[in-house]
Each structure stands twice: as structure tokens, then as C-alpha cells.
Amino acid sequence: MTDNPFLTTSTRNTVAEFTREEVALANRNSGALLETLDCDVTPTGLHYLLNHFDVPVLSAADHVLEFSGAFDAPFSLSMAEIIDLPQITRPVTLECAGNGRAGMTARPLSMPWMYEAVGTSEWTGTPLAPLIERAKPKADVKDFAFIGADFGYDKGVPHFYGRSLTPDEIAQLDVMLVWGMNGAPLLPQHGAPLRLIVPGWYGMASVKWLTRIEALTLRYQGFQQVETYRFRTHEHDLGKPVTRIHVKSLMKPPGVPDWFTRARWLKPGPVTLTGRAWSGDGVPITKVEVLLNGVWQEAELSAPTDRYAWSAWQIEWQATPGQHELACRATDAEGNVQPLNASHNLGGFANNVVHRVTVHVAEPTA
Ligand SMILES: Nc1nc2c(c(=O)[nH]1)N[C@H]1C(S)=C(S)[C@@H](COP(=O)(O)O)O[C@H]1N2
Ligand SMILES: [Mo]
């Protein structure tokens, strides 16, 4: 029994590292279970959640999407009219910009994600760009604001959750107006009855409970656009906006877990390590390396099911008795590689440090 490192209970008595507020946020905003990384499509109920305010439970029968502001031909659409528009379904990997925040030293206080704020769903809806065209934006339009039905306060500022995209961004990104997820209507927590999906960008742009698209002749100044989601190094730094997803990979934790620590127990012998890798803006993954016995080795990569969906990878490993630290890191077609150490910014955004998994390899004790 001396080789069972899971017998210790001392870590259960350590002082809580996280604040009450972080724990409460973590209870509201669940993450994906990493054991589902084998699935091309994350099972619907396991897709991560990030809801800033209270989830509005809206009625699809009464819901209206309004085009307002600097349009020459503004109009409104009911859900029945939206569902009648040309329909597309595509798998898109969505990741929260705050994913990895808890792994930063000098952890910013917000939703304390470790690795799990990512998932892939088959989103069904209609392309957004033709609808914007149909509303005829005036020549001097500089921004389109997307406003959700959820309202609350952040840093004392009351606001509806809202984000914007410029005309150039609308032209470049394959933005979808979405009402379906994995073959079923959107669930309330994922933005029912209507949301935006901005493929290739971090999740904050994919506004849920969408009620209004407003054309603006000045840049949108909403809280979620200008006050947060920026790479800031100090309080008075305006910072660059957070946009596209940074290259990343995750490993499905091999073996079985210890309930409390989640450390892994693995039998000696051959094991297939698997996981997923993705990057932003539809840039393909070109390489995934796995740290085995202290050496980075190239994994076998599968083609993704869609330009905006993650890629599966796998590699064989001969697990030898003892404690090992495994890690994976991805490279994309633009040469971006995951860093070995987390960088820091005030908001705790876009931490794409390599995923490390500690495994204990020994014969099972029962
Ligand atoms: N209206 C509204 N839209 C929103 C949010 C929100 O709080 N309110 N959260 C955003 C963030 S930060 C992310 S990461 C994604 C998460 O989408 P999901 O909960 O469906 O995974 O939704 C985005 N859209
Ligand atoms: Mo997010």
C-alpha cells in the first residue's frame, strides 16, 4: 500500500484558496467534463456555460428580433420568420476568453476557470450578413451592436449584455444567427430562443438572448465592449480588444481519478492518450506534441469536421511505474504555439498555457 499516493487526506484540510464569490460563480457557470474530449460534439448538457447576469427565460412564440438605428430599411423578425430563412448547421468550437484564468499567478478575481470552458456544438441557424444587407445600413455606419435580454451591474455600471462588430468584421467572419443546438431548440442557459455565434472568436462575442441589432454611426460604447475583454497590463491601460481564440490543446485525462484531487491512476503498459486542439479564425491546427518521459513527441492529428471545429489527436505511450507529468501543446498554421508558462493580464484572458496532467502509474491496489 506504500505506493498509493491517493491515501493522503491532508490536502482536504488546507485553507480555501478561492473566495466565496468565485466559488459561487463556479457553481453557476459549469465547465465541460474533460472525459468528454473524445466526442466530436460535446454532449449538450455538458457544454460549458458563462452567464454574466440572471438567465432570462424567454418565450419563442413572443420573441422578436429588431433591427434598429442607422438602417434605411429596418425591420423586425419573429422566431417563425427566422426559422423560415435559409438554414445552416455547422459545428463550431466555442471557448470562453476567461478559460485558464485560475492558472494565472496573481489570479484576477472573476469566474475561476481552469481548463474546461470550451466545447463544440452543432449550431443551427441562418447567416447574419444577408439580414444586415436587407436592412440597408447607412453609408456612415461604423458598428453594429448586438443586445441581449439579460440586464445587470458590473463595476457599478448597469447594462444589458451587449457586444458589437464592425462592418469589416461582419464581412470577414461567418457570423450566424442561431436558434438550434445539436438538433434541438437552444436551451435557456445557452441563449434561447436566439443567439449569435461568432466562429473563431472567444465566446464573449456570441451574444445570447439576442433582442436587437442596432446600426451605429459611432463605435459602440457598451460595458462589455469597452470596459472588459481587453488585454490590459495596468488599471489605466486601455488595452487591445480580446477577439480571436488563441491556439490551444487539451488532453482527456487518462486512467481513473482520485475523487477529491482528480489526480490520475493508470496501469503500467500501453495506453492511447487522446485529446483535442483548436485555434481561432478558422486557422487549422498543424501539430500537437505530447510530453512523454520528458520528450515532446508528435501526436497523430485528425482532420476537423468543420473549419471552426476542433481537431482530435492521439498518441501511444508505454506507461512505466512511477509518477509522470504529461503535457500537450498545439501549433497552428500561422506558427502560433502554446506557451509553457501562463502570461498575465488584468482580466485573466486567453491563457493558453500547455495542459499538464499528473499521472500515477502502478498496478491497481484493488
Ligand atoms: N446575453 C449574453 N450573451 C453572452 C453572455 C452573457 O452573459 N449574456 N456571455 C458570453 C460569454 S463570456 C461566453 S463565453 C458565451 C458562452 O456561451 P455558452 O454559455 O452558451 O457556452 O456566451 C456569451 N454571450
Ligand atoms: Mo466568456
Side-chain angles (χ1 to χ4, degrees):
M1 291 305 268
T2 49
D3 67 346
N4 186 342
F6 295 0
L7 280 176
T8 172
T9 54
S10 61
T11 51
R12 295 203 188 187
N13 300 322
T14 51
V15 173
E17 188 192 342
F18 291 95
T19 64
R20 291 187 71 81
E21 291 82 355
E22 286 173 290
V23 173
L25 282 180
N27 283 329
R28 290 186 55 83
N29 297 291
S30 55
L33 304 180
L34 297 190
E35 58 269 34
T36 64
L37 283 171
D38 271 349
C39 309
D40 277 333
V41 170
T42 307
T44 307
L46 296 178
H47 192 281
Y48 85 89
L49 283 179
L50 196 295
N51 298 320
H52 285 77
F53 306 135
D54 291 351
V55 169
V57 180
L58 306 175
S59 143
D62 300 334
H63 196 72
V64 171
L65 174 67
E66 190 195 340
F67 288 74
S68 68
F71 286 114
D72 280 330
F75 59 92
S76 295
L77 293 171
S78 68
M79 285 308 300
E81 288 168 321
I82 291 170
I83 288 166
D84 263 353
L85 294 168
Q87 188 175 314
I88 46 165
T89 295
R90 73 190 301 189
V92 173
T93 299
L94 207 63
E95 182 181 10
C96 181
N99 199 14
R101 178 182 285 124
M104 286 187 179
T105 30
R107 182 181 80 253
L109 293 185
S110 181
M111 172 61 203
W113 293 118
M114 290 178 177
Y115 292 106
E116 56 291 277
V118 62
T120 301
S121 294
E122 290 191 329
W123 303 102
T124 297
T126 195
L128 173 75
L131 292 175
I132 298 236
E133 278 301 292
R134 185 170 137 194
K136 296 198 185 342
K138 292 185 188 293
D140 57 346
V141 165
K142 298 220 169 29
D143 224 358
F144 296 100
F146 301 88
I147 312 296
D150 49 333
F151 186 90
Y153 286 78
D154 194 347
K155 300 201 167 91
V157 181
H159 59 278
F160 285 95
Y161 187 95
R163 290 279 310 180
S164 72
L165 293 168
T166 64
D168 281 351
E169 286 163 349
I170 301 275
Q172 281 155 23
L173 303 166
D174 295 310
V175 184
M176 291 170 71
L177 211 51
V178 161
W179 43 263
M181 182 180 183
N182 302 337
L186 281 178
L187 294 169
Q189 62 271 36
H190 289 295
L194 189 67
R195 75 176 299 174
L196 220 56
I197 287 290
V198 182
W201 278 33
Y202 281 117
M204 72 277 146
S206 294
V207 177
K208 305 195 269 192
W209 311 292
L210 185 66
T211 57
R212 190 158 53 89
I213 299 177
E214 190 175 345
L216 301 166
T217 53
L218 296 170
R219 293 298 301 275
Y220 177 61
Q221 296 299 314
F223 182 92
Q224 301 291 337
Q225 189 71 26
V226 296
E227 296 296 332
T228 181
Y229 297 112
R230 305 188 83 97
F231 292 109
R232 288 183 161 133
T233 54
H234 56 87
E235 278 307 326
H236 302 290
D237 178 12
L238 181 61
K240 286 206 164 56
V242 174
T243 58
R244 69 177 265 190
I245 295 175
H246 293 192
V247 64
K248 199 168 198 172
S249 61
L250 289 177
M251 183 184 303
K252 173 181 171 174
V256 297
D258 174 46
W259 147 247
F260 185 67
T261 61
R262 310 311 296 180
R264 313 302 299 186
W265 187 297
L266 201 59
K267 275 190 288 204
V271 54
T272 305
L273 302 173
T274 63
R276 297 274 160 181
W278 64 95
S279 190
D281 270 356
V283 175
I285 293 296
T286 49
K287 186 162 71 172
V288 173
E289 296 159 289
V290 182
L291 188 64
L292 300 176
N293 312 320
V295 182
W296 289 102
Q297 302 189 28
E298 201 164 332
E300 194 183 312
L301 201 57
S302 302
T305 55
D306 186 277
R307 193 172 162 222
Y308 295 112
W310 54 18
S311 298
W313 59 262
Q314 65 168 60
I315 193 167
E316 300 302 316
W317 180 44
Q318 282 293 331
T320 53
Q323 178 142 312
H324 302 266
E325 195 189 50
L326 308 176
C328 56
R329 77 171 171 203
T331 302
D332 72 16
E334 291 183 355
N336 301 302
V337 191
Q338 290 182 255
L340 297 179
N341 298 300
S343 60
H344 184 265
N345 58 78
L346 282 193
F349 298 122
N351 178 8
N352 64 338
V353 71
V354 296
H355 182 202
R356 293 180 190 276
V357 179
T358 302
V359 299
H360 173 71
V361 180
E363 293 298 340
T365 53

